[in-house]
Amino acid sequence: GAVVSQHPSWVICKSGTSVKIECRSLDFQATTMFWYRQFPKQSLMLMATSNEGSKATYEQGVEKDKFLINHASLTLSTLTVTSAHPEDSSFYICSARDLGSEETQYFGPGTRLLVL
Amino acid sequence: QKEVEQNSGPLSVPEGAIASLNCTYSDRVSQSFFWYRQYSGKSPELIMSIYSNGDKEDGRFTAQLNKASQYVSLLIRDSQPSDSATYLCAVRNFNKFYFGSGTKLNVKP
């Protein structure tokens, strides 16, 4: 199957700092990538849909000024958590849609964020 | 009503048995259906996809789709303790994906 990478795999930061997470599709082009957040023992929550060359579409309740998404190329999307606070600590997972594979969604390994 | 419904479980089966995981979806025009497995602390990994009515087999896994009943299931034959995980059902409706909340499966040695 298709491979999606995320970097970093985990990050610890101080409250008030910004954190950037990268999501790359390694062997296919992804016009659409998705960003999810998952708290312990809870289900995936879609935060936003990232479209190459255009603005991201945010789900209701997700602050677009806090979670900045950039999808500058067909293989890279970034999520920046601005002015992070302890309540932003979570498991952030990206996925990429492979148009060549019946539009299957493949997930990255996730980034664990801990804000102190 | 949620787009995709799954029983949260946990579903417990003994090693070697068949595990049956079920999922219903609300939108009749949904086009593609997926099963993902998520181990604790890890991201989901794709197990199978199915697009047409009927059964699709891949090793110990069989996905079943019934569009008339808006129902998709996953059978795991010869269940192993390593199959213990949360199984997520996902449905694609044009440009949107909808995930169920997952069913936790425990396979007891």
mmCIF file of all heavy atoms in Angstrom, chain B residues 61-104:
data_model
loop_
_atom_site.group_PDB
_atom_site.id
_atom_site.type_symbol
_atom_site.label_atom_id
_atom_site.label_comp_id
_atom_site.label_asym_id
_atom_site.label_seq_id
_atom_site.Cartn_x
_atom_site.Cartn_y
_atom_site.Cartn_z
ATOM 1 N N PHE B 61 -9.064 -12.287 6.222
ATOM 2 C CA PHE B 61 -10.086 -11.245 6.300
ATOM 3 C C PHE B 61 -11.077 -11.354 5.138
ATOM 4 O O PHE B 61 -10.687 -11.589 3.999
ATOM 5 C CB PHE B 61 -9.445 -9.853 6.266
ATOM 6 C CG PHE B 61 -8.487 -9.577 7.392
ATOM 7 C CD1 PHE B 61 -7.122 -9.773 7.232
ATOM 8 C CD2 PHE B 61 -8.955 -9.164 8.622
ATOM 9 C CE1 PHE B 61 -6.244 -9.524 8.272
ATOM 10 C CE2 PHE B 61 -8.087 -8.910 9.671
ATOM 11 C CZ PHE B 61 -6.725 -9.099 9.496
ATOM 12 N N THR B 62 -12.355 -11.183 5.468
ATOM 13 C CA THR B 62 -13.391 -11.100 4.446
ATOM 14 C C THR B 62 -14.264 -9.892 4.744
ATOM 15 O O THR B 62 -14.801 -9.776 5.843
ATOM 16 C CB THR B 62 -14.271 -12.361 4.416
ATOM 17 O OG1 THR B 62 -13.464 -13.501 4.104
ATOM 18 C CG2 THR B 62 -15.370 -12.232 3.357
ATOM 19 N N ALA B 63 -14.376 -9.008 3.759
ATOM 20 C CA ALA B 63 -15.287 -7.885 3.892
ATOM 21 C C ALA B 63 -16.570 -8.223 3.144
ATOM 22 O O ALA B 63 -16.529 -8.835 2.073
ATOM 23 C CB ALA B 63 -14.663 -6.611 3.323
ATOM 24 N N GLN B 64 -17.689 -7.842 3.725
ATOM 25 C CA GLN B 64 -18.990 -8.090 3.101
ATOM 26 C C GLN B 64 -19.735 -6.773 2.997
ATOM 27 O O GLN B 64 -19.797 -6.020 3.964
ATOM 28 C CB GLN B 64 -19.798 -9.079 3.941
ATOM 29 C CG GLN B 64 -19.130 -10.441 4.092
ATOM 30 C CD GLN B 64 -19.891 -11.356 5.039
ATOM 31 O OE1 GLN B 64 -20.345 -10.930 6.089
ATOM 32 N NE2 GLN B 64 -20.004 -12.621 4.667
ATOM 33 N N LEU B 65 -20.310 -6.514 1.827
ATOM 34 C CA LEU B 65 -21.035 -5.270 1.608
ATOM 35 C C LEU B 65 -22.436 -5.576 1.109
ATOM 36 O O LEU B 65 -22.613 -6.361 0.174
ATOM 37 C CB LEU B 65 -20.310 -4.397 0.585
ATOM 38 C CG LEU B 65 -20.998 -3.111 0.140
ATOM 39 C CD1 LEU B 65 -21.233 -2.171 1.330
ATOM 40 C CD2 LEU B 65 -20.186 -2.412 -0.945
ATOM 41 N N ASN B 66 -23.408 -4.943 1.725
ATOM 42 C CA ASN B 66 -24.801 -5.057 1.303
ATOM 43 C C ASN B 66 -25.342 -3.635 1.217
ATOM 44 O O ASN B 66 -25.733 -3.043 2.217
ATOM 45 C CB ASN B 66 -25.605 -5.893 2.303
ATOM 46 C CG ASN B 66 -27.038 -6.108 1.855
ATOM 47 O OD1 ASN B 66 -27.650 -5.242 1.222
ATOM 48 N ND2 ASN B 66 -27.574 -7.264 2.172
ATOM 49 N N LYS B 67 -25.348 -3.088 0.019
ATOM 50 C CA LYS B 67 -25.770 -1.695 -0.157
ATOM 51 C C LYS B 67 -27.256 -1.517 0.085
ATOM 52 O O LYS B 67 -27.691 -0.459 0.545
ATOM 53 C CB LYS B 67 -25.391 -1.205 -1.554
ATOM 54 C CG LYS B 67 -23.893 -1.031 -1.757
ATOM 55 C CD LYS B 67 -23.582 -0.360 -3.085
ATOM 56 C CE LYS B 67 -22.092 -0.111 -3.242
ATOM 57 N NZ LYS B 67 -21.781 0.571 -4.517
ATOM 58 N N ALA B 68 -28.047 -2.523 -0.210
ATOM 59 C CA ALA B 68 -29.491 -2.398 0.015
ATOM 60 C C ALA B 68 -29.788 -2.221 1.499
ATOM 61 O O ALA B 68 -30.666 -1.450 1.891
ATOM 62 C CB ALA B 68 -30.207 -3.624 -0.535
ATOM 63 N N SER B 69 -29.037 -2.926 2.317
ATOM 64 C CA SER B 69 -29.220 -2.826 3.767
ATOM 65 C C SER B 69 -28.293 -1.792 4.399
ATOM 66 O O SER B 69 -28.367 -1.562 5.615
ATOM 67 C CB SER B 69 -28.967 -4.187 4.424
ATOM 68 O OG SER B 69 -29.850 -5.154 3.902
ATOM 69 N N GLN B 70 -27.436 -1.193 3.580
ATOM 70 C CA GLN B 70 -26.489 -0.183 4.076
ATOM 71 C C GLN B 70 -25.660 -0.743 5.215
ATOM 72 O O GLN B 70 -25.592 -0.155 6.316
ATOM 73 C CB GLN B 70 -27.242 1.105 4.462
ATOM 74 C CG GLN B 70 -27.874 1.751 3.253
ATOM 75 C CD GLN B 70 -28.767 2.937 3.587
ATOM 76 O OE1 GLN B 70 -29.899 3.023 3.122
ATOM 77 N NE2 GLN B 70 -28.272 3.842 4.378
ATOM 78 N N TYR B 71 -25.023 -1.837 4.914
ATOM 79 C CA TYR B 71 -24.367 -2.638 5.930
ATOM 80 C C TYR B 71 -23.054 -3.167 5.370
ATOM 81 O O TYR B 71 -22.991 -3.648 4.239
ATOM 82 C CB TYR B 71 -25.319 -3.787 6.269
ATOM 83 C CG TYR B 71 -24.824 -4.820 7.225
ATOM 84 C CD1 TYR B 71 -25.074 -4.716 8.587
ATOM 85 C CD2 TYR B 71 -24.151 -5.947 6.759
ATOM 86 C CE1 TYR B 71 -24.653 -5.688 9.464
ATOM 87 C CE2 TYR B 71 -23.724 -6.925 7.631
ATOM 88 C CZ TYR B 71 -23.986 -6.797 8.992
ATOM 89 O OH TYR B 71 -23.567 -7.765 9.851
ATOM 90 N N VAL B 72 -21.996 -3.035 6.150
ATOM 91 C CA VAL B 72 -20.712 -3.602 5.750
ATOM 92 C C VAL B 72 -20.117 -4.305 6.966
ATOM 93 O O VAL B 72 -20.246 -3.820 8.096
ATOM 94 C CB VAL B 72 -19.778 -2.507 5.180
ATOM 95 C CG1 VAL B 72 -19.546 -1.395 6.177
ATOM 96 C CG2 VAL B 72 -18.467 -3.072 4.722
ATOM 97 N N SER B 73 -19.516 -5.451 6.732
ATOM 98 C CA SER B 73 -18.969 -6.210 7.850
ATOM 99 C C SER B 73 -17.561 -6.694 7.519
ATOM 100 O O SER B 73 -17.135 -6.703 6.367
ATOM 101 C CB SER B 73 -19.865 -7.395 8.190
ATOM 102 O OG SER B 73 -19.870 -8.314 7.119
ATOM 103 N N LEU B 74 -16.868 -7.083 8.570
ATOM 104 C CA LEU B 74 -15.524 -7.642 8.429
ATOM 105 C C LEU B 74 -15.470 -8.919 9.250
ATOM 106 O O LEU B 74 -15.788 -8.908 10.437
ATOM 107 C CB LEU B 74 -14.456 -6.658 8.923
ATOM 108 C CG LEU B 74 -13.008 -7.158 8.847
ATOM 109 C CD1 LEU B 74 -12.555 -7.243 7.393
ATOM 110 C CD2 LEU B 74 -12.069 -6.244 9.645
ATOM 111 N N LEU B 75 -15.096 -10.010 8.590
ATOM 112 C CA LEU B 75 -14.907 -11.278 9.274
ATOM 113 C C LEU B 75 -13.419 -11.563 9.365
ATOM 114 O O LEU B 75 -12.686 -11.411 8.376
ATOM 115 C CB LEU B 75 -15.602 -12.421 8.515
ATOM 116 C CG LEU B 75 -17.101 -12.304 8.312
ATOM 117 C CD1 LEU B 75 -17.617 -13.489 7.493
ATOM 118 C CD2 LEU B 75 -17.821 -12.235 9.645
ATOM 119 N N ILE B 76 -12.990 -11.974 10.536
ATOM 120 C CA ILE B 76 -11.599 -12.366 10.731
ATOM 121 C C ILE B 76 -11.603 -13.833 11.119
ATOM 122 O O ILE B 76 -12.094 -14.201 12.193
ATOM 123 C CB ILE B 76 -10.916 -11.531 11.828
ATOM 124 C CG1 ILE B 76 -11.075 -10.034 11.548
ATOM 125 C CG2 ILE B 76 -9.433 -11.895 11.923
ATOM 126 C CD1 ILE B 76 -10.524 -9.138 12.661
ATOM 127 N N ARG B 77 -11.078 -14.659 10.232
ATOM 128 C CA ARG B 77 -11.022 -16.093 10.511
ATOM 129 C C ARG B 77 -9.761 -16.422 11.299
ATOM 130 O O ARG B 77 -8.753 -15.704 11.207
ATOM 131 C CB ARG B 77 -11.030 -16.892 9.212
ATOM 132 C CG ARG B 77 -12.358 -16.874 8.470
ATOM 133 C CD ARG B 77 -12.277 -17.717 7.201
ATOM 134 N NE ARG B 77 -11.266 -17.195 6.288
ATOM 135 C CZ ARG B 77 -11.462 -16.138 5.510
ATOM 136 N NH1 ARG B 77 -12.605 -15.483 5.547
ATOM 137 N NH2 ARG B 77 -10.503 -15.719 4.707
ATOM 138 N N ASP B 78 -9.841 -17.517 12.070
ATOM 139 C CA ASP B 78 -8.672 -17.967 12.842
ATOM 140 C C ASP B 78 -8.059 -16.785 13.607
ATOM 141 O O ASP B 78 -6.866 -16.474 13.469
ATOM 142 C CB ASP B 78 -7.641 -18.596 11.899
ATOM 143 C CG ASP B 78 -6.496 -19.268 12.639
ATOM 144 O OD1 ASP B 78 -6.693 -19.652 13.812
ATOM 145 O OD2 ASP B 78 -5.393 -19.378 12.064
ATOM 146 N N SER B 79 -8.889 -16.132 14.401
ATOM 147 C CA SER B 79 -8.442 -14.934 15.123
ATOM 148 C C SER B 79 -7.218 -15.236 15.977
ATOM 149 O O SER B 79 -7.123 -16.291 16.612
ATOM 150 C CB SER B 79 -9.576 -14.416 16.017
ATOM 151 O OG SER B 79 -10.659 -13.990 15.237
ATOM 152 N N GLN B 80 -6.307 -14.284 15.994
ATOM 153 C CA GLN B 80 -5.087 -14.387 16.768
ATOM 154 C C GLN B 80 -5.039 -13.275 17.812
ATOM 155 O O GLN B 80 -5.609 -12.194 17.599
ATOM 156 C CB GLN B 80 -3.867 -14.275 15.842
ATOM 157 C CG GLN B 80 -3.817 -15.319 14.744
ATOM 158 C CD GLN B 80 -3.678 -16.712 15.303
ATOM 159 O OE1 GLN B 80 -2.807 -16.992 16.132
ATOM 160 N NE2 GLN B 80 -4.557 -17.620 14.874
ATOM 161 N N PRO B 81 -4.326 -13.494 18.922
ATOM 162 C CA PRO B 81 -4.185 -12.411 19.908
ATOM 163 C C PRO B 81 -3.649 -11.124 19.293
ATOM 164 O O PRO B 81 -4.020 -10.023 19.727
ATOM 165 C CB PRO B 81 -3.207 -13.008 20.921
ATOM 166 C CG PRO B 81 -3.474 -14.474 20.867
ATOM 167 C CD PRO B 81 -3.758 -14.758 19.407
ATOM 168 N N SER B 82 -2.852 -11.252 18.246
ATOM 169 C CA SER B 82 -2.307 -10.061 17.581
ATOM 170 C C SER B 82 -3.373 -9.282 16.803
ATOM 171 O O SER B 82 -3.113 -8.154 16.358
ATOM 172 C CB SER B 82 -1.177 -10.454 16.626
ATOM 173 O OG SER B 82 -1.650 -11.360 15.647
ATOM 174 N N ASP B 83 -4.547 -9.875 16.642
ATOM 175 C CA ASP B 83 -5.657 -9.157 15.993
ATOM 176 C C ASP B 83 -6.372 -8.226 16.974
ATOM 177 O O ASP B 83 -7.247 -7.453 16.571
ATOM 178 C CB ASP B 83 -6.677 -10.142 15.423
ATOM 179 C CG ASP B 83 -6.125 -10.977 14.278
ATOM 180 O OD1 ASP B 83 -5.297 -10.452 13.499
ATOM 181 O OD2 ASP B 83 -6.513 -12.165 14.174
ATOM 182 N N SER B 84 -6.039 -8.330 18.252
ATOM 183 C CA SER B 84 -6.667 -7.473 19.258
ATOM 184 C C SER B 84 -6.331 -6.015 18.968
ATOM 185 O O SER B 84 -5.157 -5.629 18.970
ATOM 186 C CB SER B 84 -6.191 -7.854 20.664
ATOM 187 O OG SER B 84 -6.563 -9.178 20.969
ATOM 188 N N ALA B 85 -7.343 -5.241 18.698
ATOM 189 C CA ALA B 85 -7.171 -3.841 18.289
ATOM 190 C C ALA B 85 -8.556 -3.218 18.176
ATOM 191 O O ALA B 85 -9.565 -3.886 18.404
ATOM 192 C CB ALA B 85 -6.445 -3.745 16.949
ATOM 193 N N THR B 86 -8.580 -1.962 17.815
ATOM 194 C CA THR B 86 -9.851 -1.301 17.497
ATOM 195 C C THR B 86 -10.001 -1.259 15.978
ATOM 196 O O THR B 86 -9.061 -0.876 15.273
ATOM 197 C CB THR B 86 -9.893 0.120 18.075
ATOM 198 O OG1 THR B 86 -9.850 0.052 19.499
ATOM 199 C CG2 THR B 86 -11.185 0.838 17.667
ATOM 200 N N TYR B 87 -11.152 -1.661 15.496
ATOM 201 C CA TYR B 87 -11.396 -1.722 14.055
ATOM 202 C C TYR B 87 -12.350 -0.596 13.655
ATOM 203 O O TYR B 87 -13.455 -0.489 14.188
ATOM 204 C CB TYR B 87 -11.956 -3.092 13.671
ATOM 205 C CG TYR B 87 -10.897 -4.159 13.778
ATOM 206 C CD1 TYR B 87 -10.561 -4.698 15.024
ATOM 207 C CD2 TYR B 87 -10.185 -4.581 12.663
ATOM 208 C CE1 TYR B 87 -9.548 -5.639 15.148
ATOM 209 C CE2 TYR B 87 -9.171 -5.529 12.773
ATOM 210 C CZ TYR B 87 -8.862 -6.048 14.020
ATOM 211 O OH TYR B 87 -7.851 -6.972 14.139
ATOM 212 N N LEU B 88 -11.889 0.209 12.731
ATOM 213 C CA LEU B 88 -12.642 1.370 12.281
ATOM 214 C C LEU B 88 -13.248 1.109 10.909
ATOM 215 O O LEU B 88 -12.561 0.658 9.991
ATOM 216 C CB LEU B 88 -11.733 2.596 12.172
ATOM 217 C CG LEU B 88 -10.979 3.020 13.435
ATOM 218 C CD1 LEU B 88 -9.992 4.127 13.109
ATOM 219 C CD2 LEU B 88 -11.957 3.489 14.491
ATOM 220 N N CYS B 89 -14.515 1.395 10.800
ATOM 221 C CA CYS B 89 -15.212 1.325 9.522
ATOM 222 C C CYS B 89 -15.239 2.738 8.941
ATOM 223 O O CYS B 89 -15.486 3.705 9.664
ATOM 224 C CB CYS B 89 -16.633 0.807 9.760
ATOM 225 S SG CYS B 89 -17.741 0.870 8.343
ATOM 226 N N ALA B 90 -14.967 2.864 7.661
ATOM 227 C CA ALA B 90 -14.986 4.181 7.020
ATOM 228 C C ALA B 90 -15.770 4.103 5.717
ATOM 229 O O ALA B 90 -15.735 3.092 5.010
ATOM 230 C CB ALA B 90 -13.571 4.675 6.747
ATOM 231 N N VAL B 91 -16.454 5.184 5.427
ATOM 232 C CA VAL B 91 -17.299 5.250 4.235
ATOM 233 C C VAL B 91 -16.941 6.516 3.463
ATOM 234 O O VAL B 91 -16.825 7.584 4.053
ATOM 235 C CB VAL B 91 -18.792 5.278 4.666
ATOM 236 C CG1 VAL B 91 -19.686 5.547 3.479
ATOM 237 C CG2 VAL B 91 -19.165 3.977 5.353
ATOM 238 N N ARG B 92 -16.752 6.382 2.167
ATOM 239 C CA ARG B 92 -16.500 7.562 1.338
ATOM 240 C C ARG B 92 -17.766 7.931 0.595
ATOM 241 O O ARG B 92 -18.402 7.101 -0.057
ATOM 242 C CB ARG B 92 -15.375 7.312 0.335
ATOM 243 C CG ARG B 92 -15.058 8.550 -0.518
ATOM 244 C CD ARG B 92 -13.932 8.290 -1.519
ATOM 245 N NE ARG B 92 -14.337 7.381 -2.568
ATOM 246 C CZ ARG B 92 -15.013 7.722 -3.664
ATOM 247 N NH1 ARG B 92 -15.399 8.970 -3.846
ATOM 248 N NH2 ARG B 92 -15.303 6.820 -4.580
ATOM 249 N N ASN B 93 -18.122 9.222 0.728
ATOM 250 C CA ASN B 93 -19.285 9.760 0.037
ATOM 251 C C ASN B 93 -18.794 10.953 -0.764
ATOM 252 O O ASN B 93 -18.604 12.032 -0.208
ATOM 253 C CB ASN B 93 -20.358 10.154 1.045
ATOM 254 C CG ASN B 93 -21.647 10.584 0.377
ATOM 255 O OD1 ASN B 93 -21.693 10.824 -0.824
ATOM 256 N ND2 ASN B 93 -22.707 10.671 1.164
ATOM 257 N N PHE B 94 -18.508 10.724 -2.045
ATOM 258 C CA PHE B 94 -17.896 11.731 -2.919
ATOM 259 C C PHE B 94 -16.596 12.213 -2.291
ATOM 260 O O PHE B 94 -15.650 11.438 -2.162
ATOM 261 C CB PHE B 94 -18.875 12.875 -3.206
ATOM 262 C CG PHE B 94 -20.069 12.420 -3.982
ATOM 263 C CD1 PHE B 94 -21.292 12.232 -3.344
ATOM 264 C CD2 PHE B 94 -19.972 12.131 -5.339
ATOM 265 C CE1 PHE B 94 -22.393 11.772 -4.048
ATOM 266 C CE2 PHE B 94 -21.075 11.664 -6.044
ATOM 267 C CZ PHE B 94 -22.294 11.481 -5.398
ATOM 268 N N ASN B 95 -16.504 13.435 -1.860
ATOM 269 C CA ASN B 95 -15.238 13.970 -1.374
ATOM 270 C C ASN B 95 -15.059 13.854 0.138
ATOM 271 O O ASN B 95 -14.062 14.312 0.676
ATOM 272 C CB ASN B 95 -15.142 15.455 -1.764
ATOM 273 C CG ASN B 95 -13.712 15.911 -1.933
ATOM 274 O OD1 ASN B 95 -12.867 15.136 -2.367
ATOM 275 N ND2 ASN B 95 -13.443 17.149 -1.571
ATOM 276 N N LYS B 96 -16.007 13.249 0.801
ATOM 277 C CA LYS B 96 -15.953 13.180 2.257
ATOM 278 C C LYS B 96 -15.797 11.742 2.734
ATOM 279 O O LYS B 96 -16.372 10.812 2.154
ATOM 280 C CB LYS B 96 -17.243 13.756 2.858
ATOM 281 C CG LYS B 96 -17.431 15.238 2.596
ATOM 282 C CD LYS B 96 -16.633 16.093 3.548
ATOM 283 C CE LYS B 96 -17.279 16.186 4.910
ATOM 284 N NZ LYS B 96 -16.549 17.123 5.807
ATOM 285 N N PHE B 97 -14.992 11.590 3.772
ATOM 286 C CA PHE B 97 -14.859 10.306 4.433
ATOM 287 C C PHE B 97 -15.523 10.406 5.799
ATOM 288 O O PHE B 97 -15.372 11.399 6.495
ATOM 289 C CB PHE B 97 -13.385 9.952 4.638
ATOM 290 C CG PHE B 97 -12.692 9.462 3.406
ATOM 291 C CD1 PHE B 97 -12.220 10.352 2.455
ATOM 292 C CD2 PHE B 97 -12.495 8.101 3.194
ATOM 293 C CE1 PHE B 97 -11.574 9.902 1.316
ATOM 294 C CE2 PHE B 97 -11.850 7.643 2.060
ATOM 295 C CZ PHE B 97 -11.394 8.536 1.128
ATOM 296 N N TYR B 98 -16.212 9.358 6.184
ATOM 297 C CA TYR B 98 -16.834 9.302 7.502
ATOM 298 C C TYR B 98 -16.347 8.053 8.210
ATOM 299 O O TYR B 98 -16.378 6.959 7.648
ATOM 300 C CB TYR B 98 -18.359 9.289 7.385
ATOM 301 C CG TYR B 98 -18.913 10.519 6.692
ATOM 302 C CD1 TYR B 98 -19.165 10.501 5.321
ATOM 303 C CD2 TYR B 98 -19.171 11.682 7.401
ATOM 304 C CE1 TYR B 98 -19.657 11.620 4.672
ATOM 305 C CE2 TYR B 98 -19.665 12.812 6.760
ATOM 306 C CZ TYR B 98 -19.907 12.775 5.400
ATOM 307 O OH TYR B 98 -20.388 13.891 4.764
ATOM 308 N N PHE B 99 -15.910 8.230 9.447
ATOM 309 C CA PHE B 99 -15.403 7.113 10.227
ATOM 310 C C PHE B 99 -16.373 6.772 11.345
ATOM 311 O O PHE B 99 -16.975 7.664 11.960
ATOM 312 C CB PHE B 99 -14.044 7.457 10.848
ATOM 313 C CG PHE B 99 -12.902 7.377 9.879
ATOM 314 C CD1 PHE B 99 -12.592 8.445 9.064
ATOM 315 C CD2 PHE B 99 -12.147 6.220 9.790
ATOM 316 C CE1 PHE B 99 -11.548 8.370 8.161
ATOM 317 C CE2 PHE B 99 -11.093 6.131 8.884
ATOM 318 C CZ PHE B 99 -10.807 7.214 8.069
ATOM 319 N N GLY B 100 -16.517 5.478 11.607
ATOM 320 C CA GLY B 100 -17.213 5.058 12.798
ATOM 321 C C GLY B 100 -16.303 5.253 14.000
ATOM 322 O O GLY B 100 -15.108 5.542 13.860
ATOM 323 N N SER B 101 -16.855 5.098 15.170
ATOM 324 C CA SER B 101 -16.075 5.303 16.387
ATOM 325 C C SER B 101 -15.224 4.081 16.735
ATOM 326 O O SER B 101 -14.398 4.148 17.633
ATOM 327 C CB SER B 101 -16.984 5.667 17.556
ATOM 328 O OG SER B 101 -17.970 4.677 17.715
ATOM 329 N N GLY B 102 -15.427 2.985 15.993
ATOM 330 C CA GLY B 102 -14.570 1.815 16.176
ATOM 331 C C GLY B 102 -15.145 0.766 17.102
ATOM 332 O O GLY B 102 -15.902 1.077 18.021
ATOM 333 N N THR B 103 -14.786 -0.484 16.820
ATOM 334 C CA THR B 103 -15.133 -1.617 17.676
ATOM 335 C C THR B 103 -13.851 -2.210 18.218
ATOM 336 O O THR B 103 -12.948 -2.558 17.449
ATOM 337 C CB THR B 103 -15.896 -2.709 16.893
ATOM 338 O OG1 THR B 103 -17.116 -2.181 16.403
ATOM 339 C CG2 THR B 103 -16.180 -3.915 17.797
ATOM 340 N N LYS B 104 -13.784 -2.326 19.528
ATOM 341 C CA LYS B 104 -12.596 -2.903 20.163
ATOM 342 C C LYS B 104 -12.737 -4.421 20.177
ATOM 343 O O LYS B 104 -13.738 -4.967 20.648
ATOM 344 C CB LYS B 104 -12.458 -2.370 21.585
ATOM 345 C CG LYS B 104 -11.172 -2.774 22.290
ATOM 346 C CD LYS B 104 -11.074 -2.084 23.627
ATOM 347 C CE LYS B 104 -9.855 -2.544 24.407
ATOM 348 N NZ LYS B 104 -8.602 -2.259 23.705
#
